[in-house]
Amino acid sequence: MFSKQLTKSQLRQEHARKIDEFLAHGGKIQQVRPGATGLIDGKYSTRHIVIGTGVPKTRTPIPEVTAAIDARRRKKPATQAKIQPTKRHRKVVFDDFGEPIRTVWIDE
């Protein structure tokens, strides 16, 4: 792995070196006319494409399971009784000398 990404000029030099090495070891470069394609008769190869096997799979009907699922889906959740908000207010508790001791919340 490279610790640093190569620049475009370094890549070009590397490709040129590999091409020269290929030619030096007896390799030949085949010329291809412009516009030529690797497609067979101008079409993509469809040998690897499989749409279906032609034999349908057997399936086990389970209507009771689907009915139970549908029933749970239709069932509305039980509504909870709304709790009425209570009115609360703070009350100061005083000692015998009239000094405030603490505050408490009183529900009405």
Side-chain angles (χ1 to χ4, degrees):
M1 291 234 58
F2 297 106
S3 60
K4 182 178 163 185
Q5 188 174 358
L6 298 175
T7 63
K8 286 185 180 182
S9 62
Q10 290 171 333
L11 285 173
R12 283 189 204 103
Q13 290 173 357
E14 179 69 19
H15 289 161
R17 185 188 61 75
K18 287 183 180 180
I19 291 170
D20 291 340
E21 185 179 317
F22 174 74
L23 293 174
H25 285 86
K28 294 182 181 177
I29 297 176
Q30 180 184 5
Q31 295 293 327
V32 179
R33 62 182 172 81
T37 179
L39 301 178
I40 300 168
D41 295 330
K43 298 177 184 175
Y44 290 102
S45 174
T46 57
R47 288 183 290 142
H48 65 283
I49 299 173
V50 178
I51 294 176
T53 60
V55 179
K57 293 181 181 179
T58 58
R59 297 185 178 164
T60 306
I62 48 171
E64 61 279 352
V65 175
T66 55
I69 293 171
D70 289 339
R72 282 195 307 255
R73 200 175 282 159
R74 279 189 231 111
K75 184 179 175 182
K76 292 184 180 179
T79 58
Q80 296 179 349
K82 291 186 178 181
I83 299 172
Q84 295 293 330
T86 58
K87 293 184 180 182
R88 302 180 78 190
H89 67 278
R90 247 177 26 181
K91 181 177 179 182
V92 180
V93 177
F94 297 97
D95 66 1
D96 293 337
F97 302 103
E99 298 291 323
I101 299 174
R102 65 180 179 272
T103 58
V104 293
W105 288 96
I106 303 294
D107 294 332
E108 291 182 0

